[in-house]
Amino acid sequence: MSTSPLIETLRLDDEQDALVIIDQTLLPNEVRYLSLKTQSQIWEAIQQLRVRGAPAIGIAAAYGVYLAVKHSTANDHSTFLDEFRQASRYLASARPTAVNLFWALQRMEDVITSSAVITAGADVDIPQLVTALRQEADAILAEDIQTNQAIGENALALLQVGDGLLTHCNAGGLATARYGTATAPIYLGQERGYHFKVFADETRPLLQGARLTTFELAQAGVDVTLICDNMAATVMHNGWVQAVLVGCDRVAANGDTANKIGTLGVAVLAHEFGIPFYVCAPSSTIDLATANGQLIPIEERNPEEIYRKWYQTPMAPEQGVKFYNPAFDVTPAKYISAIISEYGIARPPFEPALRKMKEQG
Ligand code: MRU
């Protein structure tokens, strides 16, 4: 499956002891890579959305904790574990909604707390543990690529040649190691002559749809049309959309799904117009420990993102106005036609199907 050669979301530079990311805040006008060496640089990059998208921040954090302990001088297991946990807690505090961040950090911690390591106790070989952490972070990245390929195949089976597709935010290659989740079937369809026509919601306030989704789809030669968020109803009413494909940051056990703010509105519209609404999610985004969407923590961000960030002058009076800037919303399961993971297609009622997918992981 071919995506843009311009885009490499993130990678480890082991010689430089750095996490290298494409700075997504500068796209589409500037392609600049950043070498992040310190924990605070990695935390800031995640918090400021220089690296973003649920799977990508999980991978960034995995490499982040590896780098944090790579040159540890600890000579016993418990000191090493303390150092690891300090870095892990810090990186976990960068953003609250995408469960992949916590999932990846837990996977990394499991390397250090696995029973074989615990049994070795104080005599544990720290350099060997560091190598194992590196391998685990590499595995998380490599699995993400395979997972997205599988999501692409599974989702493509639900689509027809010539379909109009609407997507929200960026669940693309930039949000993952490669291919994206919601974009994986689009890239696959592009290769196989499906001639999709994609509508990308701009996705206020941070414009991930305008800046990132159109950028990467256009680079790959996909037919993509940018619309403002408030135009989705019109393109649906015009009969131009046969399916909605979105990514997600956390799927609760009952199928309620948190994704970029505005997703709920798109889901309600799709329901009204009888258009299937598909959520593309790696199994790592399924969080069975969260029973329903009301329990998913929703990040609130700086109000300036709404009225000032993209404008030369503020677009709202700064005095006497209250601002509310949630970064995500929750789409109740009843609006979701299917949740598509690397293991297949879950249909309502979601809970048993999601449990089965999680068990396969
Ligand atoms: O705030 P962002 O840009 O990190 O939000 C990203 C999204 O909402 C994506 O749709 C989601 O993380 C899925 S990425 C495959």
PDB file of all heavy atoms in Angstrom, residues 22-53:
ATOM      1  N   ILE A  22       7.974  14.257  12.603  1.00  0.00           N
ATOM      2  CA  ILE A  22       7.619  15.354  11.714  1.00  0.00           C
ATOM      3  C   ILE A  22       6.767  16.300  12.565  1.00  0.00           C
ATOM      4  O   ILE A  22       5.868  15.850  13.286  1.00  0.00           O
ATOM      5  CB  ILE A  22       6.856  14.834  10.466  1.00  0.00           C
ATOM      6  CG1 ILE A  22       6.673  15.919   9.425  1.00  0.00           C
ATOM      7  CG2 ILE A  22       5.517  14.219  10.812  1.00  0.00           C
ATOM      8  CD1 ILE A  22       6.179  15.390   8.061  1.00  0.00           C
ATOM      9  N   ASP A  23       7.062  17.583  12.549  1.00  0.00           N
ATOM     10  CA  ASP A  23       6.311  18.533  13.384  1.00  0.00           C
ATOM     11  C   ASP A  23       4.983  18.850  12.696  1.00  0.00           C
ATOM     12  O   ASP A  23       4.913  19.641  11.760  1.00  0.00           O
ATOM     13  CB  ASP A  23       7.129  19.810  13.601  1.00  0.00           C
ATOM     14  CG  ASP A  23       6.422  20.768  14.559  1.00  0.00           C
ATOM     15  OD1 ASP A  23       5.215  20.561  14.840  1.00  0.00           O
ATOM     16  OD2 ASP A  23       7.074  21.721  15.025  1.00  0.00           O
ATOM     17  N   GLN A  24       3.916  18.210  13.198  1.00  0.00           N
ATOM     18  CA  GLN A  24       2.614  18.317  12.514  1.00  0.00           C
ATOM     19  C   GLN A  24       1.964  19.682  12.703  1.00  0.00           C
ATOM     20  O   GLN A  24       1.031  20.013  11.975  1.00  0.00           O
ATOM     21  CB  GLN A  24       1.685  17.199  12.996  1.00  0.00           C
ATOM     22  CG  GLN A  24       2.250  15.830  12.671  1.00  0.00           C
ATOM     23  CD  GLN A  24       1.256  14.700  12.866  1.00  0.00           C
ATOM     24  OE1 GLN A  24       0.067  14.842  12.656  1.00  0.00           O
ATOM     25  NE2 GLN A  24       1.772  13.553  13.283  1.00  0.00           N
ATOM     26  N   THR A  25       2.468  20.470  13.641  1.00  0.00           N
ATOM     27  CA  THR A  25       1.881  21.804  13.804  1.00  0.00           C
ATOM     28  C   THR A  25       2.254  22.711  12.629  1.00  0.00           C
ATOM     29  O   THR A  25       1.612  23.731  12.409  1.00  0.00           O
ATOM     30  CB  THR A  25       2.331  22.475  15.122  1.00  0.00           C
ATOM     31  OG1 THR A  25       3.740  22.676  15.063  1.00  0.00           O
ATOM     32  CG2 THR A  25       1.965  21.635  16.332  1.00  0.00           C
ATOM     33  N   LEU A  26       3.323  22.349  11.898  1.00  0.00           N
ATOM     34  CA  LEU A  26       3.782  23.200  10.794  1.00  0.00           C
ATOM     35  C   LEU A  26       3.181  22.802   9.452  1.00  0.00           C
ATOM     36  O   LEU A  26       3.274  23.558   8.480  1.00  0.00           O
ATOM     37  CB  LEU A  26       5.306  23.157  10.700  1.00  0.00           C
ATOM     38  CG  LEU A  26       6.064  23.564  11.967  1.00  0.00           C
ATOM     39  CD1 LEU A  26       7.566  23.397  11.754  1.00  0.00           C
ATOM     40  CD2 LEU A  26       5.739  25.000  12.343  1.00  0.00           C
ATOM     41  N   LEU A  27       2.606  21.602   9.403  1.00  0.00           N
ATOM     42  CA  LEU A  27       2.038  21.127   8.135  1.00  0.00           C
ATOM     43  C   LEU A  27       0.755  21.897   7.814  1.00  0.00           C
ATOM     44  O   LEU A  27       0.044  22.305   8.714  1.00  0.00           O
ATOM     45  CB  LEU A  27       1.732  19.624   8.236  1.00  0.00           C
ATOM     46  CG  LEU A  27       2.959  18.715   8.296  1.00  0.00           C
ATOM     47  CD1 LEU A  27       2.553  17.280   8.587  1.00  0.00           C
ATOM     48  CD2 LEU A  27       3.751  18.790   7.003  1.00  0.00           C
ATOM     49  N   PRO A  28       0.438  22.116   6.560  1.00  0.00           N
ATOM     50  CA  PRO A  28       1.080  21.570   5.365  1.00  0.00           C
ATOM     51  C   PRO A  28       2.163  22.484   4.769  1.00  0.00           C
ATOM     52  O   PRO A  28       2.747  22.154   3.744  1.00  0.00           O
ATOM     53  CB  PRO A  28      -0.089  21.491   4.378  1.00  0.00           C
ATOM     54  CG  PRO A  28      -0.904  22.697   4.730  1.00  0.00           C
ATOM     55  CD  PRO A  28      -0.800  22.843   6.226  1.00  0.00           C
ATOM     56  N   ASN A  29       2.422  23.612   5.432  1.00  0.00           N
ATOM     57  CA  ASN A  29       3.289  24.613   4.786  1.00  0.00           C
ATOM     58  C   ASN A  29       4.770  24.320   4.915  1.00  0.00           C
ATOM     59  O   ASN A  29       5.574  24.793   4.122  1.00  0.00           O
ATOM     60  CB  ASN A  29       2.974  25.999   5.347  1.00  0.00           C
ATOM     61  CG  ASN A  29       1.534  26.383   5.065  1.00  0.00           C
ATOM     62  OD1 ASN A  29       1.087  26.218   3.937  1.00  0.00           O
ATOM     63  ND2 ASN A  29       0.808  26.822   6.070  1.00  0.00           N
ATOM     64  N   GLU A  30       5.103  23.551   5.926  1.00  0.00           N
ATOM     65  CA  GLU A  30       6.524  23.275   6.131  1.00  0.00           C
ATOM     66  C   GLU A  30       6.702  21.842   6.619  1.00  0.00           C
ATOM     67  O   GLU A  30       6.006  21.413   7.552  1.00  0.00           O
ATOM     68  CB  GLU A  30       7.067  24.254   7.192  1.00  0.00           C
ATOM     69  CG  GLU A  30       8.556  24.164   7.366  1.00  0.00           C
ATOM     70  CD  GLU A  30       9.088  25.112   8.444  1.00  0.00           C
ATOM     71  OE1 GLU A  30       8.390  26.078   8.808  1.00  0.00           O
ATOM     72  OE2 GLU A  30      10.203  24.846   8.923  1.00  0.00           O
ATOM     73  N   VAL A  31       7.598  21.119   5.964  1.00  0.00           N
ATOM     74  CA  VAL A  31       7.913  19.763   6.407  1.00  0.00           C
ATOM     75  C   VAL A  31       9.212  19.845   7.193  1.00  0.00           C
ATOM     76  O   VAL A  31      10.290  20.033   6.622  1.00  0.00           O
ATOM     77  CB  VAL A  31       8.063  18.800   5.204  1.00  0.00           C
ATOM     78  CG1 VAL A  31       8.499  17.413   5.672  1.00  0.00           C
ATOM     79  CG2 VAL A  31       6.751  18.708   4.428  1.00  0.00           C
ATOM     80  N   ARG A  32       9.079  19.795   8.516  1.00  0.00           N
ATOM     81  CA  ARG A  32      10.281  19.905   9.352  1.00  0.00           C
ATOM     82  C   ARG A  32      10.319  18.752  10.358  1.00  0.00           C
ATOM     83  O   ARG A  32       9.326  18.459  11.010  1.00  0.00           O
ATOM     84  CB  ARG A  32      10.294  21.230  10.109  1.00  0.00           C
ATOM     85  CG  ARG A  32      11.635  21.480  10.808  1.00  0.00           C
ATOM     86  CD  ARG A  32      11.586  22.561  11.852  1.00  0.00           C
ATOM     87  NE  ARG A  32      11.228  23.876  11.345  1.00  0.00           N
ATOM     88  CZ  ARG A  32      10.959  24.910  12.130  1.00  0.00           C
ATOM     89  NH1 ARG A  32      10.987  24.795  13.447  1.00  0.00           N
ATOM     90  NH2 ARG A  32      10.634  26.082  11.608  1.00  0.00           N
ATOM     91  N   TYR A  33      11.463  18.129  10.441  1.00  0.00           N
ATOM     92  CA  TYR A  33      11.622  17.041  11.410  1.00  0.00           C
ATOM     93  C   TYR A  33      12.317  17.576  12.653  1.00  0.00           C
ATOM     94  O   TYR A  33      13.208  18.418  12.565  1.00  0.00           O
ATOM     95  CB  TYR A  33      12.413  15.875  10.788  1.00  0.00           C
ATOM     96  CG  TYR A  33      11.564  15.120   9.784  1.00  0.00           C
ATOM     97  CD1 TYR A  33      11.529  15.490   8.442  1.00  0.00           C
ATOM     98  CD2 TYR A  33      10.750  14.070  10.200  1.00  0.00           C
ATOM     99  CE1 TYR A  33      10.712  14.832   7.529  1.00  0.00           C
ATOM    100  CE2 TYR A  33       9.934  13.395   9.293  1.00  0.00           C
ATOM    101  CZ  TYR A  33       9.921  13.782   7.974  1.00  0.00           C
ATOM    102  OH  TYR A  33       9.099  13.127   7.092  1.00  0.00           O
ATOM    103  N   LEU A  34      11.872  17.093  13.805  1.00  0.00           N
ATOM    104  CA  LEU A  34      12.458  17.514  15.079  1.00  0.00           C
ATOM    105  C   LEU A  34      13.126  16.324  15.737  1.00  0.00           C
ATOM    106  O   LEU A  34      12.572  15.216  15.730  1.00  0.00           O
ATOM    107  CB  LEU A  34      11.363  18.022  16.033  1.00  0.00           C
ATOM    108  CG  LEU A  34      10.483  19.181  15.580  1.00  0.00           C
ATOM    109  CD1 LEU A  34       9.407  19.454  16.631  1.00  0.00           C
ATOM    110  CD2 LEU A  34      11.333  20.424  15.343  1.00  0.00           C
ATOM    111  N   SER A  35      14.285  16.538  16.317  1.00  0.00           N
ATOM    112  CA  SER A  35      14.946  15.485  17.097  1.00  0.00           C
ATOM    113  C   SER A  35      14.716  15.777  18.565  1.00  0.00           C
ATOM    114  O   SER A  35      15.217  16.777  19.087  1.00  0.00           O
ATOM    115  CB  SER A  35      16.455  15.498  16.825  1.00  0.00           C
ATOM    116  OG  SER A  35      16.699  15.009  15.541  1.00  0.00           O
ATOM    117  N   LEU A  36      13.948  14.931  19.202  1.00  0.00           N
ATOM    118  CA  LEU A  36      13.579  15.168  20.599  1.00  0.00           C
ATOM    119  C   LEU A  36      14.447  14.285  21.492  1.00  0.00           C
ATOM    120  O   LEU A  36      14.419  13.059  21.375  1.00  0.00           O
ATOM    121  CB  LEU A  36      12.099  14.832  20.813  1.00  0.00           C
ATOM    122  CG  LEU A  36      11.125  15.470  19.808  1.00  0.00           C
ATOM    123  CD1 LEU A  36       9.714  14.950  20.036  1.00  0.00           C
ATOM    124  CD2 LEU A  36      11.172  16.990  19.899  1.00  0.00           C
ATOM    125  N   LYS A  37      15.194  14.936  22.355  1.00  0.00           N
ATOM    126  CA  LYS A  37      16.150  14.163  23.159  1.00  0.00           C
ATOM    127  C   LYS A  37      15.736  14.050  24.610  1.00  0.00           C
ATOM    128  O   LYS A  37      16.056  13.080  25.275  1.00  0.00           O
ATOM    129  CB  LYS A  37      17.544  14.800  23.061  1.00  0.00           C
ATOM    130  CG  LYS A  37      18.069  14.757  21.644  1.00  0.00           C
ATOM    131  CD  LYS A  37      19.531  15.105  21.553  1.00  0.00           C
ATOM    132  CE  LYS A  37      20.001  14.861  20.129  1.00  0.00           C
ATOM    133  NZ  LYS A  37      21.390  15.119  19.908  1.00  0.00           N
ATOM    134  N   THR A  38      15.071  15.076  25.125  1.00  0.00           N
ATOM    135  CA  THR A  38      14.749  15.040  26.548  1.00  0.00           C
ATOM    136  C   THR A  38      13.293  14.635  26.751  1.00  0.00           C
ATOM    137  O   THR A  38      12.456  14.761  25.849  1.00  0.00           O
ATOM    138  CB  THR A  38      14.960  16.428  27.188  1.00  0.00           C
ATOM    139  OG1 THR A  38      13.991  17.319  26.634  1.00  0.00           O
ATOM    140  CG2 THR A  38      16.359  16.955  26.943  1.00  0.00           C
ATOM    141  N   GLN A  39      13.015  14.189  27.967  1.00  0.00           N
ATOM    142  CA  GLN A  39      11.643  13.804  28.287  1.00  0.00           C
ATOM    143  C   GLN A  39      10.707  14.997  28.149  1.00  0.00           C
ATOM    144  O   GLN A  39       9.586  14.865  27.681  1.00  0.00           O
ATOM    145  CB  GLN A  39      11.580  13.256  29.724  1.00  0.00           C
ATOM    146  CG  GLN A  39      12.312  11.938  29.879  1.00  0.00           C
ATOM    147  CD  GLN A  39      11.707  10.867  28.982  1.00  0.00           C
ATOM    148  OE1 GLN A  39      10.578  10.463  29.188  1.00  0.00           O
ATOM    149  NE2 GLN A  39      12.453  10.421  27.996  1.00  0.00           N
ATOM    150  N   SER A  40      11.178  16.162  28.577  1.00  0.00           N
ATOM    151  CA  SER A  40      10.278  17.317  28.499  1.00  0.00           C
ATOM    152  C   SER A  40      10.018  17.714  27.037  1.00  0.00           C
ATOM    153  O   SER A  40       8.921  18.165  26.708  1.00  0.00           O
ATOM    154  CB  SER A  40      10.776  18.496  29.336  1.00  0.00           C
ATOM    155  OG  SER A  40      12.036  18.863  28.916  1.00  0.00           O
ATOM    156  N   GLN A  41      10.999  17.504  26.157  1.00  0.00           N
ATOM    157  CA  GLN A  41      10.744  17.780  24.726  1.00  0.00           C
ATOM    158  C   GLN A  41       9.691  16.809  24.174  1.00  0.00           C
ATOM    159  O   GLN A  41       8.820  17.199  23.396  1.00  0.00           O
ATOM    160  CB  GLN A  41      12.038  17.626  23.909  1.00  0.00           C
ATOM    161  CG  GLN A  41      12.997  18.794  24.064  1.00  0.00           C
ATOM    162  CD  GLN A  41      14.339  18.524  23.388  1.00  0.00           C
ATOM    163  OE1 GLN A  41      14.745  17.370  23.187  1.00  0.00           O
ATOM    164  NE2 GLN A  41      15.038  19.579  23.028  1.00  0.00           N
ATOM    165  N   ILE A  42       9.782  15.557  24.586  1.00  0.00           N
ATOM    166  CA  ILE A  42       8.818  14.562  24.079  1.00  0.00           C
ATOM    167  C   ILE A  42       7.428  14.855  24.659  1.00  0.00           C
ATOM    168  O   ILE A  42       6.422  14.828  23.953  1.00  0.00           O
ATOM    169  CB  ILE A  42       9.300  13.127  24.397  1.00  0.00           C
ATOM    170  CG1 ILE A  42      10.610  12.854  23.649  1.00  0.00           C
ATOM    171  CG2 ILE A  42       8.234  12.091  24.031  1.00  0.00           C
ATOM    172  CD1 ILE A  42      11.293  11.544  23.980  1.00  0.00           C
ATOM    173  N   TRP A  43       7.372  15.189  25.951  1.00  0.00           N
ATOM    174  CA  TRP A  43       6.092  15.539  26.586  1.00  0.00           C
ATOM    175  C   TRP A  43       5.463  16.733  25.863  1.00  0.00           C
ATOM    176  O   TRP A  43       4.285  16.707  25.527  1.00  0.00           O
ATOM    177  CB  TRP A  43       6.341  15.882  28.061  1.00  0.00           C
ATOM    178  CG  TRP A  43       5.088  16.108  28.849  1.00  0.00           C
ATOM    179  CD1 TRP A  43       4.429  15.183  29.606  1.00  0.00           C
ATOM    180  CD2 TRP A  43       4.352  17.336  28.977  1.00  0.00           C
ATOM    181  NE1 TRP A  43       3.321  15.754  30.177  1.00  0.00           N
ATOM    182  CE2 TRP A  43       3.243  17.073  29.805  1.00  0.00           C
ATOM    183  CE3 TRP A  43       4.502  18.625  28.468  1.00  0.00           C
ATOM    184  CZ2 TRP A  43       2.300  18.052  30.149  1.00  0.00           C
ATOM    185  CZ3 TRP A  43       3.559  19.605  28.785  1.00  0.00           C
ATOM    186  CH2 TRP A  43       2.483  19.308  29.620  1.00  0.00           C
ATOM    187  N   GLU A  44       6.284  17.744  25.630  1.00  0.00           N
ATOM    188  CA  GLU A  44       5.774  18.963  24.978  1.00  0.00           C
ATOM    189  C   GLU A  44       5.276  18.658  23.573  1.00  0.00           C
ATOM    190  O   GLU A  44       4.233  19.166  23.135  1.00  0.00           O
ATOM    191  CB  GLU A  44       6.897  20.024  24.932  1.00  0.00           C
ATOM    192  CG  GLU A  44       6.451  21.415  24.530  1.00  0.00           C
ATOM    193  CD  GLU A  44       6.519  21.711  23.032  1.00  0.00           C
ATOM    194  OE1 GLU A  44       7.019  20.876  22.242  1.00  0.00           O
ATOM    195  OE2 GLU A  44       6.058  22.785  22.640  1.00  0.00           O
ATOM    196  N   ALA A  45       5.995  17.792  22.846  1.00  0.00           N
ATOM    197  CA  ALA A  45       5.591  17.460  21.471  1.00  0.00           C
ATOM    198  C   ALA A  45       4.247  16.736  21.452  1.00  0.00           C
ATOM    199  O   ALA A  45       3.418  16.966  20.565  1.00  0.00           O
ATOM    200  CB  ALA A  45       6.667  16.598  20.809  1.00  0.00           C
ATOM    201  N   ILE A  46       4.027  15.882  22.434  1.00  0.00           N
ATOM    202  CA  ILE A  46       2.733  15.180  22.508  1.00  0.00           C
ATOM    203  C   ILE A  46       1.647  16.179  22.916  1.00  0.00           C
ATOM    204  O   ILE A  46       0.581  16.250  22.306  1.00  0.00           O
ATOM    205  CB  ILE A  46       2.800  13.996  23.506  1.00  0.00           C
ATOM    206  CG1 ILE A  46       3.780  12.928  23.003  1.00  0.00           C
ATOM    207  CG2 ILE A  46       1.416  13.389  23.721  1.00  0.00           C
ATOM    208  CD1 ILE A  46       4.049  11.785  23.974  1.00  0.00           C
ATOM    209  N   GLN A  47       1.926  16.984  23.927  1.00  0.00           N
ATOM    210  CA  GLN A  47       0.905  17.904  24.446  1.00  0.00           C
ATOM    211  C   GLN A  47       0.515  18.959  23.408  1.00  0.00           C
ATOM    212  O   GLN A  47      -0.639  19.335  23.284  1.00  0.00           O
ATOM    213  CB  GLN A  47       1.444  18.565  25.728  1.00  0.00           C
ATOM    214  CG  GLN A  47       0.347  18.949  26.715  1.00  0.00           C
ATOM    215  CD  GLN A  47      -0.378  20.223  26.293  1.00  0.00           C
ATOM    216  OE1 GLN A  47       0.213  21.099  25.647  1.00  0.00           O
ATOM    217  NE2 GLN A  47      -1.653  20.321  26.633  1.00  0.00           N
ATOM    218  N   GLN A  48       1.500  19.427  22.646  1.00  0.00           N
ATOM    219  CA  GLN A  48       1.245  20.470  21.641  1.00  0.00           C
ATOM    220  C   GLN A  48       0.811  19.906  20.290  1.00  0.00           C
ATOM    221  O   GLN A  48       0.693  20.648  19.316  1.00  0.00           O
ATOM    222  CB  GLN A  48       2.498  21.328  21.452  1.00  0.00           C
ATOM    223  CG  GLN A  48       2.804  22.246  22.627  1.00  0.00           C
ATOM    224  CD  GLN A  48       1.705  23.275  22.848  1.00  0.00           C
ATOM    225  OE1 GLN A  48       1.277  23.945  21.921  1.00  0.00           O
ATOM    226  NE2 GLN A  48       1.228  23.370  24.084  1.00  0.00           N
ATOM    227  N   LEU A  49       0.680  18.576  20.201  1.00  0.00           N
ATOM    228  CA  LEU A  49       0.211  17.926  18.967  1.00  0.00           C
ATOM    229  C   LEU A  49       1.222  18.027  17.816  1.00  0.00           C
ATOM    230  O   LEU A  49       0.854  18.048  16.641  1.00  0.00           O
ATOM    231  CB  LEU A  49      -1.159  18.482  18.529  1.00  0.00           C
ATOM    232  CG  LEU A  49      -2.397  17.917  19.210  1.00  0.00           C
ATOM    233  CD1 LEU A  49      -2.377  18.048  20.724  1.00  0.00           C
ATOM    234  CD2 LEU A  49      -3.650  18.508  18.631  1.00  0.00           C
ATOM    235  N   ARG A  50       2.509  18.153  18.202  1.00  0.00           N
ATOM    236  CA  ARG A  50       3.534  18.057  17.142  1.00  0.00           C
ATOM    237  C   ARG A  50       3.536  16.617  16.639  1.00  0.00           C
ATOM    238  O   ARG A  50       3.712  16.352  15.459  1.00  0.00           O
ATOM    239  CB  ARG A  50       4.928  18.429  17.680  1.00  0.00           C
ATOM    240  CG  ARG A  50       4.985  19.855  18.180  1.00  0.00           C
ATOM    241  CD  ARG A  50       6.385  20.239  18.622  1.00  0.00           C
ATOM    242  NE  ARG A  50       6.312  21.402  19.479  1.00  0.00           N
ATOM    243  CZ  ARG A  50       6.033  22.631  19.045  1.00  0.00           C
ATOM    244  NH1 ARG A  50       5.866  22.848  17.766  1.00  0.00           N
ATOM    245  NH2 ARG A  50       5.940  23.628  19.895  1.00  0.00           N
ATOM    246  N   VAL A  51       3.387  15.687  17.578  1.00  0.00           N
ATOM    247  CA  VAL A  51       3.098  14.303  17.224  1.00  0.00           C
ATOM    248  C   VAL A  51       1.727  14.035  17.830  1.00  0.00           C
ATOM    249  O   VAL A  51       1.467  14.404  18.976  1.00  0.00           O
ATOM    250  CB  VAL A  51       4.195  13.329  17.729  1.00  0.00           C
ATOM    251  CG1 VAL A  51       4.385  13.386  19.228  1.00  0.00           C
ATOM    252  CG2 VAL A  51       3.900  11.895  17.303  1.00  0.00           C
ATOM    253  N   ARG A  52       0.840  13.447  17.044  1.00  0.00           N
ATOM    254  CA  ARG A  52      -0.552  13.347  17.503  1.00  0.00           C
ATOM    255  C   ARG A  52      -1.232  12.167  16.815  1.00  0.00           C
ATOM    256  O   ARG A  52      -0.665  11.562  15.909  1.00  0.00           O
ATOM    257  CB  ARG A  52      -1.297  14.658  17.228  1.00  0.00           C
ATOM    258  CG  ARG A  52      -1.055  15.125  15.790  1.00  0.00           C
ATOM    259  CD  ARG A  52      -2.183  15.806  15.161  1.00  0.00           C
ATOM    260  NE  ARG A  52      -3.343  14.975  15.048  1.00  0.00           N
ATOM    261  CZ  ARG A  52      -3.512  14.012  14.113  1.00  0.00           C
ATOM    262  NH1 ARG A  52      -2.560  13.744  13.210  1.00  0.00           N
ATOM    263  NH2 ARG A  52      -4.619  13.302  14.072  1.00  0.00           N
ATOM    264  N   GLY A  53      -2.487  11.911  17.269  1.00  0.00           N
ATOM    265  CA  GLY A  53      -3.178  10.723  16.791  1.00  0.00           C
ATOM    266  C   GLY A  53      -2.889   9.604  17.786  1.00  0.00           C
ATOM    267  O   GLY A  53      -1.745   9.436  18.230  1.00  0.00           O
TER     268      GLY A  53
END
